Amino acid sequence: MNLLAFNLPLVVLLPFVGAAFAAWASRLNRLGAAYTSGLVTLLSLALLMPSVPLPFHDQTLIQTWDWVPDLGLYFSFRLDGLALLFALLILVIGLLVIFYARYYLSAKDCMGRFFAYLLMFMGSMLGIVLSENVIQLVIFWELTSITSFLLISYWQHRKEARQGARMALAITGAGGLALLGGMILLGEMVGSYQLTHILAAGDLIRAHDWYLPALILILLGVFTKSAQFPFHFWLPHAMAAPTPVSAYLHSATMVKAGIFILARFFPALSGTIEWTLLVGGAGLITLLIGAYTALFKHDLKGLLAYSTISHLGLITLLFGFGTQLAAVAAIFHIINHATFKASLFMVAGIVDHETGTRDMRRLGGLIHYMPHTATLAMVAAAAMAGVPLLNGFLSKEMLFDQAVIASSISHWALLLPVLVTIAGLLSVAYSVRFIMDTFFGQPKSDLLHTPHEPPRFMKIPVDILVVVCLAVGILPALTVSPILETAVAGTLQAEVPDFSLAIWHGFNAPLMMSIAALIGGVALFLKRDTLFQLYQRHEHVDAKRYFQASLQGILNLAQTVTQRFDKGSLQHASAWVIAVSLAAGIVGFAGFNGSLLGETPVQSVDTLTVIVGLLGALAALMTAIWHRKRFVSLVVIGVVGLVIAIGFVKFSAPDLALTQLSVEVVTIVLLLLALYFLPQASPKEINRVRLWRDALLAGVSGIGATLLTLSVLTRDFDSISTYFLENSVPGGGGTNVVNVILVDFRGFDTLGEIVVLALAGLGIYSLLQGMTLPAPKNDLRGRLWNPDKHPLILQTLTRLLLPLMLMVAVFVFLRGHNLPGGGFIAGLIASVALIVQYLANGIDWTRTRLQIDMHWAIGLGLLIAIATGLVMMAMGYPFLTSAFRHMHWPVVGEFELASAIAFDLGVFLVVVGATVLSLVQLGRLSHSSHAGSTWKS
Amino acid sequence: MTDWPSLPFLALLVPLLGGTLILLAKPFGLRLQRILGLLLTLGLLFVSVDLLEVAFEQGHRVYTLGNWAAPYGIVLVLDALSAMMVSLTTVLALAALWYAIASGIDRQGAHFHVLFQIQLFGLNGAFLTGDVFNLFVFFEVLLLASYGLLLHGGGRLRTRGGLHYVVINLIGSTLFLFAVGALYGLLGTLNMADMAQAVADLPTSDLAPVAAAGLLLLVVFAIKAAFFPLYLWLPGAYAETSAPVAALFAIMTKVGLYAIIRVHGTVFGPEAGELAFYHQPFVLTAGLIGLGMAALGVMAAKGLRNQVAYLVLASVATLLIGVGLNTPQALGATLYYLIHSTLVAAALFLLADLIAKGRGSYADRFESAPAMPQAVLLGGFFLFGAIAMTGMPPLSGFMGKVFILDAALAHDWSAWVLGMILVSSLLMIVAMARSGSLLFYNTLDGASNGEALNRPGLVSVLGLFLISVGMVVFAGPILGMTEAIAERAYDVGPYVDQVLNTPTQDAQWLKGGH
């Protein structure tokens, strides 16, 4: 088994698995999480080890598995020089931070959560640097945003932690989305999401139309993550995180992810004027703003945060130069910055830990209490300032050198050496301040406790980092040179240019600039009091305020828009639906060929039809006009229904007319029952605008519906209906085509419709179950209801009528297949017969005599209808296949027995059950409407 | 695999017969109804698996109801797309039903299990039918069943949300009749395959009314699918109803979307001449605007359930964009995203209920409350759901968005699509970070008066989330599947041929005789 075939994904995934273990281990032992994390990190490191030699031999290790190959997504990992450098930084500094955090966190803090988050972060970071597939890279990129959100908000009870975390997530999350967009464009340009292909396609990419949008999107990702101007402001607020997190994420690793992208895509994207302007410009501004602001921060971590921003700007600027040597310098500074800045953060944490404050105005003279820590801090700060014999000096010289070279490009570029020297000068000044104000001067007495050295082991990580600063600074060729060369080779994907890591290059421009920066910086520090006063006199841009104001702005916009649109008003919502429907009709007609009306001439109409039609229209209009008097409008709407029924009769559809009539009756009864509980008059609509809007919508809808109908009716009608006419008797065994369609040709529709009816009944039942509503005791004019609830004549008459009505129902049912009628109409007639009993005699009287639970009628009806279909299925035919036989019985004579009649019986039962169930349920809603009495009789 | 001729119909028969039996079992108590409900849904799961296998192996399968051939009778058409929708519905239903039973919500009113099964009948019917009027019938079944379920448990706000839902949808039903009536009058048929042929042969003089009727039909589906600006019924109804119902309703918007893909994609498909895919620009536009509006709604939400409702709208809008891009590749990506968004939205509704119950009187409002019981566990779940729903890596939402973005690059409007999807994602991430921070971090001291965590209920959420993880790990094969489905959906020819050429059985001996 060859480890080199699959070790990279293990290196990345192990920390994620380890996170679960760490969380679990912390339950067993307070420090269990720390030890587990350390172990996991070591294990990851060990897994990486076998492949470490490869990049040194100019080999790139790629391990790929299919993921979504159709789209070019692979689960794919890559180890070259650049990836190796970053992976080592992440793992080694991670190990030191874990070690440090074990001492840093107090007993109150939940260790398991902290280390689990930290490990997940480590895995995500490793994923970024080891990805070969750029979409996979984005996935890990966003994971660092999420895990850093969790880490910054680790002390969740602190407001600034929550806010800082959300700000970081918003900014870096936005960058991540932009990066995703950029990567997708990049992949489309190259035709592959694999880095190998992208890095080899630099010329194609730079010449592509999408180069600039892709570059901007990718740089948005870079600048947000690496805190470049104008997105730098989130980083200082992320300092609300525990100090180990700041040391790890916000100086050594996560903020370098953006820089990593610059390095990674250097061969593919750099070398254009756009690149130089955007990257170099952002880097230069960030370098200066960061260094300037750092000088005025009183909080140790605040100073370090802005210093970090400034150094990130420095690295970005170097990449912006776009030359190979500048890239060398950039990579070198990445290593150097990680070492000295991580150690300085740890020192800040130690100071905070031991004194209870990080405010330099309250600190001083700590060298007397913690000489060891002070020494470490001084060396690291000297490296940050760029003092010779330390690593920071070397990379800063390279920057100065590059700036001098770049200054020859144009007049404006002449400013470059001046500006970077100023930045260097500022950096010296704040480094000196960090040391002097913390460790020298008079010890302050108002500290919480007397400071002393931290536990020995807490300092070990700092020791190691500081030794590295020294070793690299003094013996660069022996220490850092091999890994730097390898990393540069990985970055450039080309031969490494000649560069010299010597400490002494003779008296040249960069050395002069260094000396100027050192002297100027110390001078600036000495004048600091005057400077602070000057600084305080001016208003300063508080980016957090702007950020929150714009966020609040978006929030307000969101709320305004949402409340304006989603008003929770039914009228508003319905108006939109109707308006959109109108628009749809108009757009359809306007957008395509064809006249509104067809060729078929409109038939002439007789006077009677016109009168009846107008009556219907008038009734519809009056319903709307009288809608506030609900009872009246209900009566008028009955006229509309009646006119429709007459219309059906006129156009030879007696079945439909019968159905319409009986539906009309049942619906009116239902509405009457419902009206009983509703206010008897509707409130007047006072909003004139809305009134006219609605009138307009209604009017135009009416016209639209008429035109659509006319448009259809004036065209030739050639449909499948002839088939139904021809096959009704031979195929369906019935001469009433409407009924045969209902129970045979389209019996399945009818099955669906009776399910709907059943649902309506059950729905009304379950909605009103257990509900009682107070009903009005009098009508609109204040008259009491008639005390005679069940008039005797009505009672007698209905009891007499019952058998007669049921007979009619049976008759209509039986003749249905051949003549107008059928289960649906019969069911409605039977329902009316039963309901009349309830109305005339009261619910309880009727129920004692009619002991059928209507649930059963519904269930049984459905079952019969389904079973009719199933019988045929059992015989090997499709569901609902019909069968019929002509029978000849003595006395009865010739008749036809169709399987459809069983189906129709199901329909009948469901109709009766659902109708009676819902009407009775409505009727019994109130037991107290008639003063002093109830519905009981 | 079992395969018999009636297989497509089984997906309808199981819930229909099941619902009827559960209704008749009412006197024997809730326990029996629960067992029946679970068993039936499990049975349906087996049927779905069969459906998927058959659909993929045999292409289209047509079932002629009543033994009447298309276009005269009603046919059910099983293909990969409808099989996928039925399977998705069943998985979702199982999770929702389990939660309803585990939390005892099914006890809060009569007929929950009957309505639930009939709802499944309606859903599966809508997915399988090949007839436009039959689709109308199933829309009615769905409407009534869903209205009953929406109101289940009662309450003022719930009834109000339900009323808005039913009224708007009734307007939609009326419009459906107008549209279908007009189309029948113009094309002379109701079978989708037959309509597709009629549209392909349409004389130029008839283009306009057919286009108008087609767009009216689009409005009907758009109401169901919650297009901008027709989605106003959704936030209130979904946020106020009981959790398992809201979870099941995650599929309801997809019915509208499916209907567009199926009906418009067939009738106004590649063969439709001038009318070929003429509806797609509207779909895409509605998606783009809707996504922006929904993202703002997510930000503006004052309670978690309302926020999830708007997240559903955002996911629907994303789907519309995917459909509107109008390529098989985009549709494949969309179907992947559809599976993801349906399941994750459902999980979030259930989770919101657990959170609201844990917070007691503070319910799901975004204000500081004492920490809920099991806050760390629920917080972890919330984080997971938020990541999945907002489309952050590494969960299925991210994959789906990447697939859609990748497919969008070929479209003329790619800059708009890219911009809108990315910006709205950001707004939703910011909003979810804010609500998570409020619910879990910014807590008051003291003990919560909420209920203890309902662990059996959490199983449903866990199951749905695990599917999201599975969709990432097996993204390749799943996308391969949805792309194959999309390819077939665009290839209308075989669908039309199969529907119109499926013969009926000889049943002469059943008809007549003495």
Side-chain angles (χ1 to χ4, degrees):
Chain A
M1 201 165 64
N2 183 2
L3 198 63
L4 287 183
F6 59 86
N7 67 331
L8 296 182
L10 292 185
V11 171
V12 174
L13 296 180
L14 195 66
F16 288 100
V17 180
F21 276 106
W24 171 74
S26 73
R27 293 187 173 190
L28 306 180
N29 179 322
R30 197 180 89 80
L31 298 176
Y35 294 134
T36 314
S37 306
L39 207 65
V40 167
T41 314
L42 279 174
L43 211 58
S44 266
L45 205 53
L47 277 167
L48 186 64
M49 277 307 148
S51 43
V52 166
L54 295 178
F56 287 97
H57 296 98
D58 278 336
Q59 288 175 3
T60 301
L61 176 64
I62 292 179
Q63 297 167 355
T64 299
W65 290 265
D66 275 2
W67 189 11
V68 191
D70 284 359
L71 258 78
L73 286 194
Y74 296 92
F75 195 54
S76 190
F77 295 85
R78 170 195 187 93
L79 186 77
D80 59 8
L82 180 67
L84 177 66
L85 170 69
F86 268 89
L88 288 176
L89 276 178
I90 293 161
L91 284 166
V92 173
I93 296 185
L95 198 59
L96 298 177
V97 166
I98 288 169
F99 200 84
Y100 175 81
R102 174 241 174 280
Y103 293 95
Y104 179 85
L105 290 181
S106 75
K108 294 195 302 270
D109 298 321
C110 171
M111 287 280 206
R113 247 179 66 221
F114 181 84
F115 283 103
Y117 292 164
L118 202 69
L119 280 179
M120 285 197 282
F121 168 77
M122 181 189 284
S124 318
M125 207 52 219
L126 287 167
I128 294 181
V129 301
L130 292 175
S131 281
E132 157 76 0
N133 189 286
V134 294
I135 298 293
Q136 180 191 319
L137 185 153
V138 175
I139 292 180
F140 285 114
W141 177 282
E142 290 285 53
L143 276 177
T144 60
S145 298
I146 296 170
T147 43
S148 94
F149 170 83
L150 294 171
L151 281 166
I152 299 172
S153 62
Y154 174 70
W155 284 322
Q156 48 186 256
H157 47 275
R158 298 188 185 171
K159 191 176 177 205
E160 71 269 17
R162 295 195 302 265
Q163 283 186 345
R166 273 165 45 200
M167 187 193 284
L169 180 70
I171 303 287
T172 59
L177 290 167
L179 186 71
L180 172 64
M183 291 302 171
I184 287 179
L185 290 183
L186 211 53
E188 189 72 11
M189 284 188 256
V190 179
S192 164
Y193 289 127
Q194 298 294 88
L195 266 178
T196 311
H197 300 137
I198 292 175
L199 294 184
D203 292 332
L204 184 150
I205 295 170
R206 282 183 289 266
H208 202 283
D209 285 347
W210 288 355
Y211 169 71
L212 191 59
L215 179 69
I216 290 175
L217 286 171
I218 292 174
L219 288 182
L220 278 174
V222 168
F223 292 170
T224 49
K225 200 76 159 185
S226 285
Q228 296 297 296
F229 178 83
F231 307 110
H232 59 287
F233 56 88
W234 67 266
L235 187 58
H237 295 287
M239 293 298 149
T243 301
V245 172
S246 311
Y248 192 38
L249 275 68
H250 304 127
S251 79
T253 58
M254 189 178 84
V255 290
K256 299 269 169 58
I259 305 286
F260 171 79
I261 296 290
L262 289 182
R264 186 78 282 178
F265 290 90
F266 192 76
L269 297 174
S270 73
T272 63
I273 186 75
E274 292 94 337
W275 167 277
T276 307
L277 284 178
L278 289 170
V279 179
L284 183 62
I285 298 174
T286 314
L287 168 68
L288 288 165
I289 287 188
Y292 172 76
T293 316
L295 186 58
F296 299 101
K297 288 291 154 190
H298 301 300
D299 176 15
L300 284 176
K301 278 177 82 175
L303 184 152
L304 291 177
Y306 277 100
S307 149
T308 303
I309 291 174
S310 162
H311 281 268
L312 293 169
L314 188 161
I315 301 170
T316 308
L317 174 61
L318 279 168
F319 277 117
F321 286 142
T323 63
Q324 297 201 323
L325 278 174
V328 174
I331 303 277
F332 190 26
H333 199 69
I334 290 173
I335 305 174
N336 296 337
H337 179 252
T339 49
F340 66 68
K341 194 52 68 64
S343 49
L344 283 173
F345 266 111
M346 291 187 188
V347 167
I350 290 174
V351 170
D352 188 11
H353 203 259
E354 299 304 326
T355 63
T357 179
R358 299 188 313 238
D359 189 335
M360 278 182 277
R361 287 165 299 189
R362 293 179 59 202
L363 292 167
L366 287 182
I367 194 165
H368 303 297
Y369 304 103
M370 37 175 79
H372 184 152
T373 308
T375 316
L376 294 175
M378 280 185 274
V379 178
M384 175 161 78
V387 173
L389 292 184
L390 290 160
N391 56 359
F393 171 72
L394 297 173
S395 43
K396 196 164 276 186
E397 288 278 281
M398 289 169 131
L399 165 73
F400 290 162
D401 192 30
Q402 286 299 316
V404 171
I405 295 172
S407 66
S408 60
I409 301 171
S410 72
H411 294 304
W412 284 106
L414 279 175
L415 272 176
L416 260 175
V418 181
L419 290 175
V420 293
T421 312
I422 291 175
L425 183 153
L426 289 167
S427 129
V428 171
Y430 67 67
S431 303
V432 175
R433 179 175 182 223
F434 183 91
I435 296 302
M436 296 305 288
D437 283 4
T438 312
F439 295 103
F440 294 92
Q442 282 305 309
K444 305 283 164 57
S445 51
D446 62 339
L447 295 176
L448 283 176
H449 28 247
T450 317
H452 56 79
E453 286 282 355
R456 178 72 199 94
F457 287 104
M458 195 170 174
K459 284 179 300 195
I460 283 187
V462 195
D463 288 340
I464 295 173
L465 289 168
V466 166
V467 167
V468 172
C469 290
L470 279 165
V472 171
I474 299 169
L475 297 167
L478 288 181
T479 49
V480 80
S481 194
I483 179 80
L484 179 60
E485 252 180 67
T486 314
V488 169
T491 306
L492 301 177
Q493 296 287 307
E495 283 294 299
V496 180
D498 282 332
F499 61 89
S500 151
L501 283 182
I503 304 168
W504 181 251
H505 286 111
F507 282 105
N508 53 8
L511 187 64
M512 296 302 154
M513 290 157 79
S514 275
I515 294 172
L518 280 172
I519 297 174
V522 174
L524 200 61
F525 168 73
L526 294 175
K527 288 276 169 203
R528 66 188 185 281
D529 290 337
T530 339
L531 272 177
F532 287 168
Q533 281 165 14
L534 268 175
Y535 183 81
Q536 270 164 3
R537 247 181 258 163
H538 301 286
E539 278 281 321
H540 291 283
V541 182
D542 182 3
K544 181 186 174 185
R545 223 180 58 213
Y546 284 108
F547 173 79
Q548 281 182 335
S550 38
L551 200 64
Q552 192 62 45
I554 298 174
L555 199 65
N556 290 346
L557 174 78
Q559 273 166 356
T560 315
V561 170
T562 307
Q563 279 163 9
R564 287 262 170 88
F565 186 59
D566 183 3
K567 290 176 176 171
S569 149
L570 184 55
Q571 286 88 338
H572 174 75
S574 324
W576 271 106
V577 173
I578 291 167
V580 169
S581 317
L582 282 172
I586 293 167
V587 168
F589 267 111
F592 290 90
N593 274 329
S595 55
L596 183 59
L597 300 183
E599 310 277 309
T600 316
V602 181
Q603 290 173 10
S604 60
V605 280
D606 56 286
T607 328
L608 190 63
T609 313
V610 173
I611 291 175
V612 174
L614 282 179
L615 190 67
L618 185 70
L621 189 67
M622 293 322 283
T623 311
I625 288 175
W626 285 337
H627 77 281
R628 291 189 52 229
K629 297 173 192 159
R630 294 180 169 181
F631 184 74
V632 179
S633 63
L634 189 62
V635 173
V636 184
I637 209 172
V639 176
V640 180
L642 203 64
V643 169
I644 292 174
I646 294 172
F648 284 139
V649 173
K650 159 140 176 94
F651 293 109
S652 328
D655 270 283
L656 297 188
L658 267 177
T659 314
Q660 171 67 28
L661 264 181
S662 36
V663 167
E664 194 68 27
V665 170
V666 174
T667 317
I668 296 285
V669 173
L670 191 116
L671 280 172
L672 277 174
L673 284 173
L675 270 192
Y676 187 56
F677 299 101
L678 297 173
Q680 294 176 30
S682 312
K684 196 175 162 83
E685 172 63 62
I686 41 169
N687 187 338
R688 293 241 139 231
V689 179
R690 199 154 90 184
L691 214 58
W692 281 110
R693 177 199 75 186
D694 291 350
L696 188 73
L697 279 177
V700 180
S701 304
I703 295 168
T706 312
L707 288 179
L708 181 69
T709 315
L710 271 178
S711 173
V712 172
L713 292 181
T714 50
R715 284 176 157 81
D716 288 338
F717 184 60
D718 173 24
S719 84
I720 54 173
S721 53
T722 27
Y723 178 90
F724 296 137
L725 292 172
E726 284 161 9
N727 284 281
S728 179
V729 174
T735 51
N736 178 0
V737 185
V738 173
N739 185 269
V740 177
I741 289 177
L742 282 179
V743 298
D744 197 343
F745 291 119
R746 299 191 67 96
F748 193 59
D749 275 346
T750 310
L751 182 62
E753 289 298 353
I754 62 173
V755 170
V756 171
L757 207 58
L759 285 172
L762 297 178
I764 291 176
Y765 173 81
S766 84
L767 179 64
L768 302 183
Q769 194 187 27
M771 189 190 275
T772 47
L773 283 176
K777 292 191 164 51
N778 43 28
D779 75 355
L780 208 48
R781 295 187 196 147
R783 292 178 298 203
L784 287 178
W785 305 126
N786 184 352
D788 184 8
K789 290 178 303 173
H790 305 300
L792 191 64
I793 296 177
L794 185 65
Q795 275 185 351
T796 322
L797 211 60
T798 52
R799 285 176 203 180
L800 276 175
L801 268 176
L802 178 67
L804 214 59
M805 287 176 85
L806 290 180
M807 274 301 290
V808 172
V810 172
F811 172 70
V812 169
F813 175 81
L814 283 177
R815 66 182 236 149
H817 216 45
N818 293 309
L819 292 164
F824 193 81
I825 303 169
L828 285 175
I829 294 173
S831 312
V832 172
L834 292 177
I835 287 164
V836 168
Q837 301 307 311
Y838 284 98
L839 282 179
N841 303 307
I843 290 177
D844 294 311
W845 181 91
T846 316
R847 193 186 292 147
T848 46
R849 284 155 187 85
L850 186 74
Q851 288 180 335
I852 305 172
D853 184 352
M854 285 302 159
H855 284 105
W856 275 94
I858 296 174
L860 204 65
L862 285 176
L863 202 60
I864 291 174
I866 300 167
T868 316
L870 286 181
V871 169
M872 288 302 160
M873 257 174 95
M875 290 166 64
Y877 289 95
F879 186 73
L880 284 182
T881 303
S882 66
F884 52 88
R885 276 270 183 284
H886 288 286
M887 312 286 267
H888 190 87
W889 281 2
V891 184
V892 182
E894 182 104 7
F895 70 103
E896 194 176 68
L897 192 64
S899 65
I901 205 158
F903 181 77
D904 227 6
L905 179 65
V907 174
F908 174 84
L909 281 175
V910 173
V911 171
V912 173
T915 315
V916 174
L917 185 67
S918 34
L919 288 178
V920 171
Q921 194 69 18
L922 260 176
R924 60 193 288 179
L925 254 185
S926 169
H927 277 235
S928 58
S929 54
H930 287 59
S933 75
T934 66
W935 261 52
K936 285 176 195 156
S937 56
Chain B
M1 189 190 85
T2 41
D3 179 21
W4 55 85
S6 309
L7 185 62
F9 179 64
L10 270 191
L12 303 187
L13 181 64
V14 172
L16 175 62
L17 190 60
T20 310
L21 291 178
I22 292 179
L23 174 63
L24 292 172
K26 187 170 171 274
F28 305 102
L30 186 62
R31 203 183 144 80
L32 181 66
Q33 289 191 316
R34 282 177 170 182
I35 294 171
L36 275 175
L38 275 177
L39 284 179
L40 285 162
T41 316
L42 271 176
L44 204 51
L45 194 63
F46 285 108
V47 174
S48 316
V49 174
D50 264 10
L51 288 178
L52 269 179
E53 284 195 50
V54 170
F56 267 96
E57 281 170 20
Q58 306 179 10
H60 300 90
R61 274 280 291 275
V62 178
Y63 186 71
T64 51
L65 282 157
N67 204 26
W68 295 108
Y72 310 108
I74 297 166
V75 290
L76 302 179
V77 188
L78 171 71
D79 69 347
L81 181 58
S82 47
M84 182 195 109
M85 297 305 292
V86 170
S87 311
L88 177 63
T89 306
T90 314
V91 171
L92 183 70
L94 209 54
L97 186 62
W98 175 256
Y99 187 90
I101 294 173
S103 60
I105 286 172
D106 60 344
R107 201 181 288 131
Q108 290 171 2
H111 300 315
F112 179 86
H113 292 280
V114 180
L115 293 171
F116 195 91
Q117 291 299 323
I118 300 295
Q119 169 90 358
L120 294 182
F121 169 65
L123 285 165
N124 291 350
F127 293 138
L128 286 167
T129 187
D131 184 285
V132 179
F133 189 79
N134 193 235
L135 181 66
F136 169 78
V137 172
F138 278 112
F139 269 29
E140 295 306 290
V141 173
L142 270 182
L143 179 59
L144 264 285
S146 59
Y147 186 45
L149 284 172
L150 265 184
L151 297 181
H152 179 78
R156 195 179 67 86
L157 286 174
R158 192 169 287 180
T159 312
R160 198 178 99 126
L163 180 72
H164 289 197
Y165 170 80
V166 80
V167 170
I168 297 290
N169 275 286
L170 282 175
I171 299 178
S173 297
T174 315
L175 207 57
F176 200 152
L177 286 180
F178 267 105
V180 168
L183 284 175
Y184 181 65
L186 293 160
L187 306 175
T189 182
L190 292 168
N191 179 283
M192 294 174 205
D194 204 27
M195 288 168 83
Q197 285 202 331
V199 169
D201 302 334
L202 199 66
T204 327
S205 59
D206 282 359
L207 278 176
V210 172
L215 284 185
L216 283 182
L217 196 58
L218 184 70
V219 175
V220 176
F221 298 152
I223 295 173
K224 281 268 184 286
F227 273 44
F228 173 83
L230 308 171
Y231 62 62
L232 289 170
W233 57 269
L234 189 142
Y238 279 37
E240 298 303 340
T241 188
S242 62
V245 174
L248 182 67
F249 278 29
I251 194 77
M252 288 288 282
T253 46
K254 279 70 178 183
V255 177
L257 198 70
Y258 170 86
I260 292 170
I261 300 171
R262 176 58 80 209
V263 178
H264 285 79
T266 306
V267 178
F268 304 106
E271 313 287 324
E274 264 191 73
L275 292 179
F277 298 114
Y278 78 110
H279 59 286
Q280 296 289 40
F282 301 105
V283 177
L284 184 54
T285 311
L288 284 171
I289 304 176
L291 185 54
M293 292 293 289
L296 292 179
V298 171
M299 285 207 89
K302 296 199 161 55
L304 185 55
R305 289 181 301 167
N306 185 257
Q307 191 164 50
V308 179
Y310 268 101
L311 284 168
V312 168
L313 285 177
S315 71
V316 165
T318 310
L319 293 172
L320 296 183
I321 292 175
V323 171
L325 289 171
N326 199 25
T327 62
Q329 193 207 345
L331 184 61
T334 308
L335 293 177
Y336 178 95
Y337 193 77
L338 186 149
I339 303 175
H340 143 82
S341 65
T342 307
L343 297 179
V344 172
L348 273 180
F349 273 121
L350 299 180
L351 187 62
D353 189 51
L354 291 172
I355 290 172
K357 282 184 176 151
R359 281 160 54 97
S361 50
Y362 291 88
D364 68 333
R365 288 193 302 280
F366 290 143
E367 51 191 69
S368 290
M372 66 199 85
Q374 294 287 344
V376 176
L377 182 66
L378 281 175
F381 269 84
F382 179 82
L383 181 70
F384 190 103
I387 289 174
M389 199 68 199
T390 53
M392 280 192 103
L395 297 176
S396 47
F398 174 78
M399 306 301 295
K401 275 188 187 167
V402 169
F403 298 157
I404 291 178
L405 289 180
D406 190 81
L409 289 181
H411 199 275
D412 291 343
W413 299 5
S414 58
W416 285 102
V417 174
L418 229 71
M420 190 49 99
I421 290 187
L422 294 178
V423 170
S424 65
S425 295
L426 177 65
L427 292 181
M428 291 189 279
I429 290 169
V430 170
M432 288 300 268
R434 194 165 145 262
S435 38
S437 174
L438 253 170
L439 291 171
F440 294 100
Y441 282 175
N442 196 1
T443 47
L444 302 175
D445 293 334
S448 165
N449 59 356
E451 295 172 21
L453 177 62
N454 180 348
R455 281 179 186 274
L458 198 62
V459 170
S460 280
V461 185
L462 183 68
L464 291 170
F465 280 169
L466 284 179
I467 297 177
S468 167
V469 175
M471 285 188 70
V472 178
V473 177
F474 301 107
I478 294 176
L479 184 71
M481 187 190 86
T482 55
E483 281 188 334
I485 295 174
E487 294 280 351
R488 292 180 192 196
Y490 268 86
D491 194 10
V492 173
Y495 175 94
V496 172
D497 289 346
Q498 190 69 39
V499 169
L500 295 181
N501 296 319
T502 297
T504 51
Q505 295 180 42
D506 178 29
Q508 209 47 55
W509 72 276
L510 291 174
K511 312 283 185 182
H514 292 272

